[in-house]
Amino acid sequence: MTQMRVSEAAELLGVSTDTVRRAVDAGRLPSTKDDAGRTVVEGADVAVLAQEQAHPAEIGAVGLSSPRNQMRGIVTRIVSDPVMSQVDIQAGPFRLVSLLSTEAVQAMGLQVGSVAVASVKATNVSVGVPV
């Protein structure tokens, strides 16, 4: 499983580190300590919390837009067969779904809780992992 520090979970959820710590203290986000004694959370647990907190904003009028929109988020679901996979990403309040080869999912090491970057251009969503 993917583990991350409280600060990274906060960044992915779009909240402060204090908010993540309160979720840990309230038992809404399970945590453990790493070898250095820092609080860490499982990416899969952050994915569940991201989905619970997602409230899509009104779309409203669209102004200028770039075809190279990129959104960083967390993988919340993967459905695979031998050839193709569906990867769901929660990027803030937005749920993005990408269809890509199962080989690509395996090569990137994607799993529920992985951090991923979705690049959106028209109806095509590409998925990559941050460096």
Side-chain angles (χ1 to χ4, degrees), residues 64-112:
L64 297 175
S65 178
S66 166
R68 293 186 177 96
N69 295 312
Q70 293 186 334
M71 292 176 263
R72 186 169 188 253
I74 191 161
V75 175
T76 57
R77 181 173 171 235
I78 298 175
V79 179
S80 298
D81 68 23
V83 177
M84 295 299 293
S85 293
Q86 174 183 322
V87 178
D88 293 8
I89 297 172
Q90 192 72 44
F94 307 106
R95 177 178 170 255
L96 303 163
V97 179
S98 179
L99 298 175
L100 58 159
S101 71
T102 298
E103 181 180 4
V105 169
Q106 293 168 348
M108 288 187 281
L110 289 178
Q111 57 184 333
V112 171

Side-chain angles (χ1 to χ4, degrees), residues 5-25 29 39:
R5 293 175 58 185
V6 167
S7 59
E8 186 174 10
E11 181 182 334
L12 289 168
L13 293 169
V15 299
S16 71
T17 55
D18 288 339
T19 300
V20 173
R21 289 187 210 296
R22 282 192 293 273
V24 168
D25 292 344
L29 185 60
T39 301

Side-chain angles (χ1 to χ4, degrees), residues 29-73:
L29 185 60
S31 69
T32 58
K33 299 284 185 182
D34 66 8
D35 294 337
R38 296 175 298 219
T39 301
V40 293
V41 293
E42 293 292 336
D45 294 329
V46 175
V48 169
L49 188 59
Q51 288 179 305
E52 290 172 358
Q53 292 183 345
H55 301 288
E58 290 291 323
I59 296 193
V62 176
L64 297 175
S65 178
S66 166
R68 293 186 177 96
N69 295 312
Q70 293 186 334
M71 292 176 263
R72 186 169 188 253

